[in-house]
Coordinates of all heavy atoms in Angstrom, one line a residue:
M278 N 0.8 -1.1 0.0 CA 0.1 -0.1 0.0 C 0.8 1.2 0.0 O 2.0 1.3 0.4 CB -0.9 0.0 1.2 CG -1.9 -1.1 1.3 SD -3.1 -1.0 -0.1 CE -4.1 0.4 0.5
V279 N 0.3 2.3 -0.4 CA 1.0 3.5 -0.5 C 0.9 4.2 0.9 O 0.0 4.2 1.5 CB 0.3 4.4 -1.6 CG1 1.1 5.9 -1.6 CG2 0.4 3.7 -2.9
E280 N 2.2 4.8 1.2 CA 2.3 5.6 2.4 C 1.3 6.9 2.4 O 1.0 7.3 1.3 CB 3.6 6.0 2.8 CG 4.6 4.8 2.9 CD 4.2 3.9 4.2 OE1 3.7 4.4 5.1 OE2 4.3 2.7 4.0
K281 N 1.1 7.3 3.5 CA 0.3 8.6 3.6 C 0.8 9.8 2.6 O -0.1 10.4 2.0 CB 0.1 9.0 5.0 CG -1.2 9.9 5.2 CD -1.4 10.2 6.6 CE -2.8 11.0 6.6 NZ -3.1 11.3 8.0
D282 N 2.1 9.8 2.5 CA 2.5 10.9 1.5 C 2.4 10.6 0.1 O 2.7 11.2 -0.7 CB 3.9 11.3 1.8 CG 5.0 10.2 1.5 OD1 4.6 9.1 1.0 OD2 6.1 10.6 1.8
A283 N 2.0 9.3 -0.2 CA 1.6 8.8 -1.5 C 2.8 8.5 -2.4 O 2.4 8.2 -3.5 CB 0.5 9.7 -2.1
R284 N 3.9 8.7 -1.9 CA 5.1 8.4 -3.0 C 5.1 6.9 -3.0 O 5.1 6.1 -2.0 CB 6.4 9.0 -2.4 CG 7.5 8.9 -3.4 CD 8.7 9.7 -2.9 NE 8.6 11.2 -2.7 CZ 8.8 11.9 -3.7 NH1 9.3 11.6 -4.9 NH2 8.5 13.2 -3.5
L285 N 5.3 6.4 -4.2 CA 5.4 5.0 -4.3 C 6.7 4.4 -3.8 O 7.8 5.0 -4.0 CB 5.3 4.6 -5.9 CG 3.9 4.7 -6.5 CD1 4.0 4.7 -8.1 CD2 2.9 3.7 -6.0
S286 N 6.6 3.2 -3.1 CA 7.9 2.6 -2.7 C 8.7 2.0 -3.8 O 8.1 1.7 -4.8 CB 7.5 1.7 -1.7 OG 6.9 0.5 -2.1
Q287 N 9.8 1.6 -3.5 CA 10.7 0.8 -4.5 C 10.0 -0.6 -4.9 O 9.9 -0.9 -6.0 CB 12.1 0.7 -4.1 CG 13.0 0.3 -5.2 CD 13.0 1.2 -6.4 OE1 13.2 2.5 -6.3 NE2 12.9 0.7 -7.5
G288 N 9.4 -1.1 -3.7 CA 8.8 -2.3 -3.9 C 7.6 -2.3 -4.9 O 7.3 -3.1 -5.7
E289 N 6.8 -1.3 -4.6 CA 5.6 -1.0 -5.5 C 6.0 -0.7 -7.0 O 5.4 -1.2 -7.9 CB 4.7 0.2 -4.9 CG 4.0 -0.2 -3.7 CD 3.5 1.0 -2.9 OE1 4.1 2.1 -2.9 OE2 2.5 0.9 -2.2
I290 N 7.1 0.1 -7.1 CA 7.6 0.3 -8.5 C 8.0 -1.0 -9.1 O 7.7 -1.3 -10.4 CB 8.8 1.4 -8.4 CG1 8.1 2.7 -8.1 CG2 9.4 1.4 -9.8 CD1 9.1 3.8 -7.9
E291 N 8.6 -1.8 -8.4 CA 9.0 -3.1 -9.0 C 7.8 -4.1 -9.3 O 7.8 -4.6 -10.4 CB 9.9 -4.0 -7.9 CG 11.2 -3.4 -7.7 CD 12.1 -3.2 -9.0 OE1 12.1 -4.2 -9.8 OE2 12.6 -2.1 -9.2
V292 N 6.7 -4.0 -8.5 CA 5.4 -4.6 -8.9 C 4.9 -4.1 -10.2 O 4.5 -4.8 -11.0 CB 4.4 -4.5 -7.8 CG1 3.1 -5.0 -8.2 CG2 4.9 -5.2 -6.6
I293 N 4.9 -2.8 -10.3 CA 4.5 -2.1 -11.6 C 5.2 -2.5 -12.8 O 4.7 -2.9 -13.8 CB 4.4 -0.5 -11.3 CG1 3.4 -0.1 -10.3 CG2 4.2 0.1 -12.7 CD1 3.6 1.3 -9.8
K294 N 6.7 -2.5 -12.5 CA 7.5 -2.9 -13.7 C 7.2 -4.3 -14.1 O 7.2 -4.6 -15.4 CB 8.9 -2.8 -13.4 CG 9.4 -1.2 -13.3 CD 10.8 -1.2 -12.9 CE 11.3 0.3 -12.9 NZ 12.7 0.5 -12.4
K295 N 7.1 -5.2 -13.2 CA 6.7 -6.7 -13.4 C 5.4 -6.7 -14.1 O 5.4 -7.4 -15.2 CB 6.8 -7.5 -12.1 CG 6.6 -8.9 -12.4 CD 6.6 -9.7 -11.2 CE 6.4 -11.2 -11.3 NZ 6.4 -12.0 -10.1
W296 N 4.4 -6.1 -13.6 CA 3.1 -6.0 -14.3 C 3.2 -5.7 -15.7 O 2.6 -6.3 -16.6 CB 2.1 -5.2 -13.5 CG 0.6 -5.3 -13.9 CD1 -0.3 -6.1 -13.4 CD2 0.1 -4.5 -15.0 NE1 -1.4 -5.9 -14.1 CE2 -1.3 -4.9 -15.0 CE3 0.5 -3.5 -15.8 CZ2 -2.2 -4.4 -15.8 CZ3 -0.4 -2.9 -16.6 CH2 -1.7 -3.4 -16.6
M297 N 3.9 -4.5 -16.0 CA 3.9 -4.0 -17.3 C 4.7 -4.9 -18.2 O 4.4 -5.1 -19.5 CB 4.7 -2.6 -17.2 CG 3.7 -1.6 -16.8 SD 4.4 0.0 -16.6 CE 3.0 1.0 -16.0
S298 N 5.8 -5.5 -17.7 CA 6.5 -6.6 -18.5 C 5.7 -7.7 -18.9 O 5.9 -8.3 -20.0 CB 7.8 -6.9 -17.9 OG 7.6 -7.7 -16.8
Q299 N 4.8 -8.0 -18.1 CA 3.9 -9.2 -18.4 C 2.7 -8.9 -19.3 O 2.3 -9.7 -20.1 CB 3.4 -9.8 -17.2 CG 4.4 -10.6 -16.2 CD 3.9 -11.0 -14.9 OE1 2.9 -10.3 -14.3 NE2 4.7 -11.8 -14.2
K300 N 2.2 -7.6 -19.3 CA 0.9 -7.3 -19.9 C 1.2 -6.5 -21.2 O 0.4 -6.6 -22.0 CB 0.1 -6.4 -18.9 CG -0.2 -7.1 -17.7 CD -1.3 -8.0 -17.8 CE -1.8 -8.6 -16.5 NZ -2.8 -9.7 -16.6
L301 N 2.2 -5.7 -21.3 CA 2.4 -4.8 -22.5 C 3.1 -5.5 -23.5 O 4.2 -5.9 -23.3 CB 3.1 -3.5 -22.1 CG 2.4 -2.8 -20.9 CD1 3.2 -1.4 -20.6 CD2 1.0 -2.3 -21.2
K302 N 2.4 -5.7 -24.7 CA 3.0 -6.3 -25.9 C 4.1 -5.3 -26.6 O 5.0 -5.8 -27.1 CB 2.1 -6.8 -26.8 CG 1.2 -7.9 -26.3 CD 0.2 -8.4 -27.4 CE -0.4 -9.8 -27.0 NZ -0.9 -9.9 -25.7
Q303 N 3.8 -4.1 -26.4 CA 4.8 -3.1 -26.9 C 4.6 -1.8 -26.1 O 3.6 -1.6 -25.5 CB 4.4 -2.8 -28.4 CG 3.1 -2.3 -28.8 CD 3.1 -0.6 -28.7 OE1 4.2 0.0 -28.7 NE2 1.9 -0.2 -28.6
S304 N 5.5 -1.0 -26.0 CA 5.5 0.2 -25.3 C 6.0 1.4 -25.9 O 6.7 2.2 -25.3 CB 6.1 -0.1 -23.9 OG 7.5 -0.4 -24.0
V305 N 5.9 1.4 -27.2 CA 6.4 2.6 -27.9 C 5.5 3.7 -27.7 O 4.2 3.6 -27.8 CB 6.4 2.3 -29.4 CG1 6.9 3.5 -30.2 CG2 7.6 1.2 -29.8
C306 N 5.9 5.1 -27.5 CA 5.1 6.0 -27.1 C 4.2 6.4 -28.4 O 4.7 6.5 -29.5 CB 5.9 7.4 -26.8 SG 4.9 8.8 -26.6
S307 N 2.8 6.5 -28.2 CA 1.9 6.8 -29.3 C 2.2 8.1 -29.9 O 1.6 8.4 -30.9 CB 0.5 6.5 -29.0 OG 0.2 7.5 -27.9
M308 N 2.7 9.1 -29.2 CA 2.9 10.5 -29.6 C 4.3 10.7 -30.4 O 4.3 11.3 -31.5 CB 2.9 11.4 -28.5 CG 1.5 11.5 -27.9 SD 0.3 12.4 -29.1 CE -1.1 11.5 -28.8
C309 N 5.3 10.1 -29.8 CA 6.7 10.5 -30.4 C 7.4 9.3 -30.9 O 8.5 9.4 -31.6 CB 7.4 11.3 -29.5 SG 8.2 10.3 -28.1
G310 N 6.9 8.0 -30.6 CA 7.6 6.8 -31.2 C 8.8 6.5 -30.4 O 9.4 5.4 -30.8
E311 N 9.3 7.1 -29.3 CA 10.3 6.8 -28.5 C 9.9 5.6 -27.5 O 8.7 5.3 -27.4 CB 10.9 7.9 -27.8 CG 11.4 9.0 -28.7 CD 12.8 8.3 -29.3 OE1 13.5 7.7 -28.7 OE2 13.1 8.8 -30.5
N312 N 10.8 4.9 -27.0 CA 10.5 3.8 -26.0 C 11.2 4.0 -24.6 O 11.9 3.0 -24.2 CB 10.6 2.5 -26.6 CG 10.1 1.3 -25.9 OD1 9.4 1.5 -25.0 ND2 10.5 0.1 -26.2
Q313 N 11.2 5.2 -24.0 CA 11.8 5.5 -22.9 C 10.8 6.0 -21.9 O 10.2 7.1 -22.1 CB 13.0 6.4 -23.0 CG 14.2 5.8 -23.8 CD 14.8 4.7 -22.9 OE1 15.1 4.7 -21.8 NE2 15.2 3.6 -23.8
W314 N 10.5 5.3 -20.7 CA 9.5 5.8 -19.9 C 9.9 5.8 -18.5 O 10.9 5.2 -18.0 CB 8.3 4.7 -19.8 CG 7.7 4.4 -21.4 CD1 8.1 3.6 -22.2 CD2 6.6 5.3 -21.8 NE1 7.2 3.8 -23.5 CE2 6.3 4.7 -23.1 CE3 5.7 6.1 -21.2 CZ2 5.3 5.2 -23.9 CZ3 4.7 6.6 -22.0 CH2 4.4 6.2 -23.4
H315 N 9.3 6.6 -17.8 CA 9.4 6.9 -16.2 C 8.1 6.6 -15.6 O 7.0 7.0 -16.1 CB 9.9 8.4 -16.0 CG 9.9 8.7 -14.7 ND1 10.9 8.3 -13.7 CD2 9.1 9.4 -13.9 CE1 10.6 8.6 -12.5 NE2 9.6 9.4 -12.7
I316 N 8.2 5.8 -14.6 CA 7.0 5.5 -13.7 C 6.8 6.7 -12.7 O 7.7 7.0 -12.1 CB 7.0 4.2 -12.9 CG1 6.9 3.1 -14.0 CG2 5.8 4.1 -12.1 CD1 7.3 1.7 -13.5
G317 N 5.7 7.4 -12.9 CA 5.5 8.6 -11.8 C 5.6 8.1 -10.4 O 5.4 7.1 -9.9
D318 N 6.3 9.1 -9.7 CA 6.5 8.9 -8.1 C 5.3 8.6 -7.3 O 5.5 8.2 -6.2 CB 7.3 10.0 -7.8 CG 8.7 10.2 -8.3 OD1 9.1 9.0 -8.8 OD2 9.3 11.3 -8.2
H319 N 4.1 9.2 -7.8 CA 2.9 9.1 -7.1 C 1.7 8.4 -7.9 O 1.8 8.5 -9.1 CB 2.5 10.5 -6.6 CG 3.5 11.2 -5.9 ND1 4.4 12.0 -6.4 CD2 3.6 11.2 -4.6 CE1 5.3 12.5 -5.5 NE2 4.7 12.2 -4.3
L320 N 0.8 8.0 -7.2 CA -0.4 7.6 -7.8 C -1.2 8.9 -8.0 O -1.1 9.9 -7.2 CB -1.3 6.7 -7.0 CG -0.6 5.4 -6.7 CD1 -1.6 4.6 -5.7 CD2 -0.4 4.5 -7.9
V321 N -2.1 9.0 -9.0 CA -3.1 10.1 -9.1 C -4.4 9.4 -9.1 O -4.6 8.2 -9.2 CB -2.8 10.9 -10.5 CG1 -1.5 11.5 -10.4 CG2 -3.0 10.0 -11.7
A322 N -5.5 10.3 -8.8 CA -6.8 9.7 -8.7 C -7.8 10.6 -9.6 O -7.8 11.8 -9.4 CB -7.3 9.8 -7.3
S323 N -8.5 9.9 -10.4 CA -9.6 10.6 -11.1 C -10.9 10.4 -10.2 O -11.4 9.4 -10.1 CB -9.8 9.9 -12.5 OG -8.5 10.1 -13.2
P324 N -11.5 11.6 -9.9 CA -12.8 11.5 -9.2 C -13.9 11.2 -10.3 O -13.8 11.5 -11.4 CB -13.0 12.9 -8.6 CG -12.3 13.8 -9.4 CD -11.1 13.0 -10.0
I325 N -14.9 10.6 -9.6 CA -16.2 10.4 -10.4 C -17.1 11.5 -10.5 O -17.2 12.2 -9.6 CB -17.0 9.2 -9.7 CG1 -16.2 7.9 -9.9 CG2 -18.3 9.0 -10.4 CD1 -16.9 6.7 -9.0
S326 N -17.4 11.9 -11.7 CA -18.3 13.0 -11.9 C -19.6 12.6 -12.4 O -19.7 11.7 -13.4 CB -17.6 14.0 -12.9 OG -18.4 15.1 -13.3
P327 N -20.7 13.1 -11.9 CA -21.9 12.8 -12.4 C -22.3 13.4 -13.9 O -21.6 14.4 -14.3 CB -23.0 13.4 -11.5 CG -22.4 14.5 -10.8 CD -20.9 14.1 -10.8
K328 N -23.0 12.7 -14.7 CA -23.2 13.1 -16.1 C -23.8 14.5 -16.2 O -24.8 14.7 -15.6 CB -24.1 12.1 -16.8 CG -23.4 10.8 -17.0 CD -24.4 9.8 -17.7 CE -23.8 8.4 -17.9 NZ -24.7 7.4 -18.4
G329 N -23.2 15.4 -17.0 CA -23.8 16.6 -17.3 C -23.8 17.6 -16.3 O -24.3 18.7 -16.2
V330 N -22.9 17.3 -15.1 CA -22.9 18.3 -13.9 C -21.5 18.6 -13.7 O -20.7 17.7 -13.7 CB -23.7 17.8 -12.7 CG1 -23.7 18.8 -11.6 CG2 -25.1 17.3 -13.2
G331 N -21.1 19.8 -13.4 CA -19.7 20.1 -13.1 C -19.3 19.8 -11.7 O -18.2 20.5 -11.2
M332 N -19.9 19.2 -10.9 CA -19.5 18.9 -9.6 C -19.1 17.4 -9.5 O -19.5 16.6 -10.2 CB -20.6 19.3 -8.6 CG -21.9 18.5 -8.8 SD -23.3 19.0 -7.6 CE -22.7 18.1 -6.2
M333 N -18.4 17.1 -8.4 CA -18.0 15.7 -8.2 C -18.8 15.0 -7.2 O -19.4 15.7 -6.2 CB -16.6 15.8 -7.7 CG -15.5 16.4 -8.7 SD -15.5 15.7 -10.2 CE -14.6 16.8 -11.2
L334 N -18.8 13.7 -7.2 CA -19.6 13.0 -6.3 C -19.0 13.0 -4.9 O -19.6 12.7 -3.9 CB -19.9 11.6 -6.8 CG -20.9 11.5 -7.9 CD1 -20.9 10.1 -8.5 CD2 -22.3 11.9 -7.6
G335 N -17.6 13.3 -4.8 CA -17.1 13.4 -3.5 C -16.0 12.5 -3.1 O -14.9 12.7 -3.0
E336 N -16.4 11.2 -2.8 CA -15.5 10.4 -2.2 C -14.8 9.3 -3.1 O -13.6 9.0 -2.9 CB -16.2 9.6 -1.0 CG -16.5 10.5 0.0 CD -17.0 9.7 1.2 OE1 -17.2 8.4 1.1 OE2 -17.3 10.3 2.2
A337 N -15.5 8.7 -4.1 CA -14.9 7.7 -4.8 C -14.0 8.1 -5.8 O -14.2 9.1 -6.6 CB -16.0 6.8 -5.5
V338 N -12.8 7.3 -6.1 CA -11.8 7.8 -7.0 C -11.3 6.6 -7.8 O -11.5 5.4 -7.2 CB -10.7 8.6 -6.6 CG1 -11.1 9.8 -5.8 CG2 -10.0 7.8 -5.3
Y339 N -10.8 6.7 -8.9 CA -10.0 5.7 -9.6 C -8.5 6.1 -9.4 O -7.9 6.9 -10.1 CB -10.4 5.8 -11.2 CG -11.8 5.3 -11.5 CD1 -12.8 6.3 -11.5 CD2 -12.2 4.0 -11.8 CE1 -14.2 5.8 -11.8 CE2 -13.4 3.7 -12.0 CZ -14.4 4.5 -12.0 OH -15.7 4.1 -12.4
P340 N -7.8 5.2 -8.6 CA -6.4 5.4 -8.5 C -5.6 5.0 -9.7 O -5.9 3.9 -10.3 CB -6.1 4.7 -7.3 CG -7.1 3.6 -7.2 CD -8.3 4.2 -7.8
Q341 N -4.6 5.8 -10.2 CA -3.9 5.5 -11.5 C -2.5 5.6 -11.3 O -1.9 6.4 -10.5 CB -4.3 6.6 -12.5 CG -5.8 6.8 -12.7 CD -6.4 5.6 -13.6 OE1 -5.9 5.2 -14.5 NE2 -7.6 5.2 -13.3
V342 N -1.8 4.7 -12.0 CA -0.2 4.8 -12.0 C 0.0 5.4 -13.4 O -0.6 5.2 -14.3 CB 0.2 3.3 -12.2 CG1 1.8 3.3 -12.6 CG2 0.0 2.5 -11.0
M343 N 0.9 6.4 -13.2 CA 1.4 7.1 -14.4 C 2.6 6.6 -15.1 O 3.4 6.2 -14.4 CB 1.7 8.6 -14.1 CG 0.5 9.5 -13.6 SD 1.0 11.2 -13.3 CE 2.0 10.9 -11.8
M344 N 2.5 6.4 -16.4 CA 3.6 6.0 -17.2 C 4.0 7.2 -18.0 O 3.0 7.7 -19.0 CB 3.4 4.8 -17.9 CG 4.5 4.2 -18.5 SD 4.1 2.4 -19.1 CE 5.1 2.2 -20.4
I345 N 5.2 7.9 -17.9 CA 5.5 9.1 -18.6 C 6.7 9.1 -19.6 O 7.8 8.5 -19.2 CB 5.8 10.2 -17.5 CG1 4.8 10.4 -16.5 CG2 6.2 11.6 -18.2 CD1 5.3 11.0 -15.2
C346 N 6.3 9.4 -20.8 CA 7.4 9.3 -21.7 C 8.4 10.2 -21.4 O 8.2 11.5 -21.2 CB 6.9 9.5 -23.2 SG 8.0 9.7 -24.5
T347 N 9.8 9.9 -21.4 CA 10.9 10.8 -21.0 C 11.2 11.7 -22.2 O 12.0 12.6 -21.9 CB 12.1 10.0 -20.6 OG1 12.5 9.1 -21.6 CG2 11.8 9.1 -19.3
N348 N 10.7 11.4 -23.4 CA 11.1 12.3 -24.4 C 10.0 13.4 -24.6 O 10.4 14.6 -24.6 CB 11.1 11.5 -25.8 CG 11.5 12.4 -27.1 OD1 12.5 13.1 -27.0 ND2 10.7 12.3 -28.1
C349 N 8.8 13.1 -24.7 CA 7.8 14.1 -25.1 C 6.7 14.4 -23.9 O 5.9 15.2 -23.9 CB 7.0 13.7 -26.2 SG 5.6 12.3 -26.1
S350 N 7.0 13.6 -22.8 CA 6.2 13.7 -21.6 C 4.7 13.2 -21.7 O 3.8 13.5 -20.8 CB 6.2 15.3 -21.1 OG 7.4 15.6 -20.7
H351 N 4.4 12.7 -22.8 CA 3.0 12.1 -23.0 C 2.9 11.0 -21.8 O 3.8 10.3 -21.4 CB 2.9 11.4 -24.3 CG 1.7 10.6 -24.5 ND1 0.5 11.3 -24.4 CD2 1.4 9.3 -24.7 CE1 -0.6 10.4 -24.8 NE2 -0.1 9.2 -24.8
T352 N 1.8 11.2 -21.2 CA 1.5 10.3 -19.9 C 0.3 9.3 -20.2 O -0.7 9.8 -20.7 CB 1.2 11.2 -18.7 OG1 2.2 12.2 -18.6 CG2 1.0 10.4 -17.5
V353 N 0.6 8.1 -19.9 CA -0.6 7.1 -19.9 C -0.8 6.6 -18.5 O 0.1 6.6 -17.8 CB -0.2 5.9 -20.9 CG1 -0.3 6.5 -22.3 CG2 1.0 5.4 -20.5
Y354 N -2.1 6.2 -18.3 CA -2.5 5.8 -17.0 C -2.9 4.3 -17.1 O -3.6 3.9 -17.9 CB -3.6 6.7 -16.5 CG -3.2 8.3 -16.5 CD1 -3.5 9.1 -17.7 CD2 -2.9 8.8 -15.4 CE1 -3.0 10.4 -17.6 CE2 -2.4 10.0 -15.4 CZ -2.6 11.0 -16.5 OH -2.2 12.2 -16.4
F355 N -2.7 3.7 -15.8 CA -3.1 2.3 -15.6 C -3.8 2.2 -14.3 O -3.4 2.9 -13.3 CB -1.9 1.4 -15.7 CG -1.2 1.4 -17.0 CD1 -0.2 2.2 -17.2 CD2 -1.5 0.3 -17.8 CE1 0.4 2.2 -18.5 CE2 -0.9 0.2 -19.1 CZ 0.1 1.2 -19.3
N356 N -5.0 1.4 -14.2 CA -5.7 1.3 -12.9 C -4.9 0.7 -11.9 O -4.6 -0.6 -12.0 CB -7.0 0.6 -13.3 CG -7.9 0.5 -12.2 OD1 -7.6 0.2 -11.1 ND2 -9.1 0.9 -12.6
A357 N -4.6 1.4 -10.8 CA -3.8 0.8 -9.9 C -4.4 -0.3 -9.1 O -3.6 -1.1 -8.5 CB -3.4 2.0 -8.8
V358 N -5.7 -0.3 -9.0 CA -6.4 -1.5 -8.3 C -6.1 -2.8 -9.2 O -5.8 -3.8 -8.6 CB -8.0 -1.2 -8.2 CG1 -8.6 -2.4 -7.6 CG2 -8.0 0.1 -7.3
A359 N -6.5 -2.6 -10.5 CA -6.3 -3.9 -11.3 C -4.8 -4.3 -11.3 O -4.7 -5.6 -11.5 CB -6.7 -3.4 -12.6
M360 N -3.9 -3.4 -11.2 CA -2.4 -3.8 -11.2 C -2.1 -4.4 -9.8 O -1.0 -4.9 -9.7 CB -1.5 -2.6 -11.4 CG -1.8 -2.0 -12.8 SD -0.8 -0.5 -13.0 CE 0.7 -1.1 -13.4
G361 N -2.8 -4.3 -8.7 CA -2.6 -4.8 -7.5 C -1.8 -3.9 -6.5 O -1.3 -4.3 -5.5
I362 N -1.7 -2.6 -6.9 CA -0.9 -1.6 -6.1 C -1.9 -1.2 -5.0 O -1.4 -0.7 -3.9 CB -0.5 -0.3 -7.0 CG1 0.4 -0.9 -8.2 CG2 0.2 0.7 -6.1 CD1 1.7 -1.7 -7.6
V363 N -3.2 -1.0 -5.3 CA -4.1 -0.5 -4.3 C -5.2 -1.5 -4.2 O -5.6 -2.3 -5.1 CB -4.8 0.8 -4.8 CG1 -5.8 1.4 -3.8 CG2 -3.6 1.9 -4.9
E364 N -5.6 -1.8 -2.9 CA -6.7 -2.7 -2.6 C -8.0 -2.0 -3.0 O -8.3 -0.9 -2.7 CB -6.7 -3.2 -1.3 CG -5.8 -4.3 -0.9 CD -6.1 -4.8 0.6 OE1 -7.1 -5.3 0.9 OE2 -5.2 -4.5 1.5
G365 N -8.9 -2.8 -3.7 CA -10.1 -2.3 -4.3 C -11.2 -2.3 -3.0 O -11.2 -3.2 -2.2
G366 N -12.0 -1.1 -3.1 CA -13.1 -1.1 -2.1 C -12.7 -0.7 -0.7 O -13.5 -0.7 0.2
K367 N -11.5 -0.4 -0.4 CA -10.9 -0.2 0.9 C -10.8 1.4 1.0 O -10.4 2.1 0.0 CB -9.7 -0.8 1.2 CG -9.8 -2.2 1.6 CD -8.7 -2.6 2.5 CE -9.1 -3.8 3.4 NZ -8.0 -4.1 4.4
K368 N -10.9 2.0 2.1 CA -10.9 3.2 2.4 C -9.3 3.5 2.4 O -8.5 2.8 3.0 CB -11.3 3.7 3.8 CG -12.9 3.6 3.9 CD -13.5 4.8 3.3 CE -14.9 4.8 3.6 NZ -15.7 6.0 2.9
H369 N -8.8 4.6 1.7 CA -7.5 5.1 1.7 C -7.4 6.5 1.8 O -8.0 7.2 0.8 CB -6.9 4.5 0.5 CG -5.4 4.8 0.4 ND1 -4.5 4.2 1.3 CD2 -4.8 5.6 -0.5 CE1 -3.3 4.6 0.9 NE2 -3.4 5.5 -0.1
N370 N -6.8 7.1 2.8 CA -6.8 8.5 2.9 C -8.1 9.2 2.8 O -8.4 10.2 2.1 CB -5.8 9.1 1.8 CG -4.4 8.8 2.0 OD1 -4.0 8.4 3.0 ND2 -3.6 9.0 1.0
E371 N -9.1 8.5 3.4 CA -10.4 8.9 3.5 C -11.2 8.9 2.2 O -12.1 9.7 2.0 CB -10.5 10.3 4.3 CG -10.0 10.0 5.8 CD -10.1 11.5 6.5 OE1 -10.8 12.4 5.9 OE2 -9.3 11.6 7.5
E372 N -10.6 8.2 1.2 CA -11.5 8.3 0.0 C -11.7 6.8 -0.4 O -10.9 5.8 -0.1 CB -10.5 8.8 -1.2 CG -10.2 10.3 -1.0 CD -9.2 10.7 -2.1 OE1 -8.3 10.0 -2.4 OE2 -9.4 11.8 -2.6
K373 N -12.9 6.5 -1.1 CA -13.2 5.1 -1.4 C -12.4 4.9 -2.7 O -12.4 5.7 -3.6 CB -14.7 5.1 -1.8 CG -15.0 3.5 -2.0 CD -16.5 3.3 -2.2 CE -16.8 1.9 -2.5 NZ -18.1 1.7 -3.0
I374 N -11.8 3.7 -2.8 CA -10.9 3.4 -3.9 C -11.6 2.3 -4.7 O -12.1 1.3 -4.2 CB -9.6 2.8 -3.5 CG1 -8.8 3.8 -2.5 CG2 -8.7 2.4 -4.7 CD1 -8.3 5.1 -3.1
I375 N -11.8 2.4 -6.0 CA -12.6 1.6 -6.7 C -11.8 1.1 -8.1 O -10.9 2.1 -8.4 CB -13.9 2.0 -7.2 CG1 -13.9 3.3 -7.9 CG2 -14.9 2.2 -6.0 CD1 -15.2 4.0 -8.3
S376 N -12.0 0.0 -8.7 CA -11.2 -0.3 -9.9 C -11.9 0.1 -11.1 O -11.1 0.0 -12.1 CB -11.1 -1.9 -9.7 OG -12.2 -2.4 -10.2
G377 N -13.2 0.2 -11.0 CA -13.9 0.6 -12.2 C -14.2 -0.7 -13.1 O -14.7 -0.6 -14.2
R378 N -14.1 -1.8 -12.4 CA -14.3 -3.0 -13.1 C -15.6 -3.8 -12.5 O -15.8 -5.0 -12.8 CB -13.1 -4.0 -12.9 CG -11.9 -3.6 -13.8 CD -10.8 -4.5 -13.7 NE -10.7 -4.9 -12.4 CZ -9.7 -5.9 -12.0 NH1 -9.2 -6.6 -13.0 NH2 -9.5 -6.3 -10.7
G379 N -16.3 -3.1 -11.7 CA -17.6 -3.7 -11.2 C -17.3 -4.3 -9.8 O -18.3 -4.8 -9.3
D380 N -16.1 -4.2 -9.2 CA -15.9 -4.8 -8.0 C -15.8 -3.8 -7.0 O -15.4 -4.1 -5.8 CB -14.7 -5.8 -8.1 CG -13.4 -4.9 -8.3 OD1 -13.5 -3.8 -8.7 OD2 -12.4 -5.6 -8.3
G381 N -16.1 -2.5 -7.2 CA -15.9 -1.5 -6.2 C -17.1 -1.1 -5.7 O -17.4 -0.2 -5.0
Ligands
ZN669 ZN1 6.8 10.4 -26.2

């Protein structure tokens, strides 16, 4: 699990690298064509927004791992629950964490 300051541990980064090596068939940047990536130091979270309204529902978020191209800075996001970095459905820093796969 991520510490309260949210910086990923070396162990979590190793889990992410292993997951990516098992799951990604190719990792060329879709914007610039380079293949050099940095895993973001922190998770980010996308809040759930109701349709057609500019306000947020409040507590539930989708935690994401960032993969950042070191050449052009294009950033891609992976669901941290599905990757096993965050436990689904548990409270974390007073926010509900969900995977978006119907198990949260
Ligand atoms: Zn790039």
Side-chain angles (χ1 to χ4, degrees):
M278 294 297 291
V279 178
E280 298 299 324
K281 196 167 185 179
D282 72 0
R284 190 174 293 268
L285 291 169
S286 70
Q287 194 58 45
E289 289 166 329
I290 289 172
E291 291 305 315
V292 170
I293 292 164
K294 286 180 178 177
K295 183 178 178 187
W296 187 93
M297 289 179 170
S298 72
Q299 291 172 341
K300 301 286 186 180
L301 304 183
K302 290 187 169 50
Q303 63 87 21
S304 57
V305 174
C306 177
S307 63
M308 289 292 138
C309 74
E311 294 293 323
N312 191 16
Q313 294 293 320
W314 297 91
H315 171 74
I316 295 170
D318 293 337
H319 301 87
L320 297 177
V321 293
S323 300
I325 293 175
S326 176
K328 292 177 185 175
V330 182
M332 58 182 284
M333 302 300 170
L334 289 176
E336 292 189 351
V338 297
Y339 290 88
Q341 308 284 319
V342 170
M343 294 185 287
M344 194 169 148
I345 305 161
C346 174
T347 59
N348 182 51
C349 76
S350 299
H351 178 57
T352 305
V353 292
Y354 300 92
F355 294 87
N356 188 305
V358 177
M360 296 175 83
I362 301 300
V363 176
E364 275 187 67
K367 281 210 160 186
K368 293 279 186 182
H369 180 71
N370 291 343
E371 298 179 19
E372 293 173 320
K373 185 178 182 192
I374 306 295
I375 58 178
S376 71
R378 296 185 307 172
D380 60 355

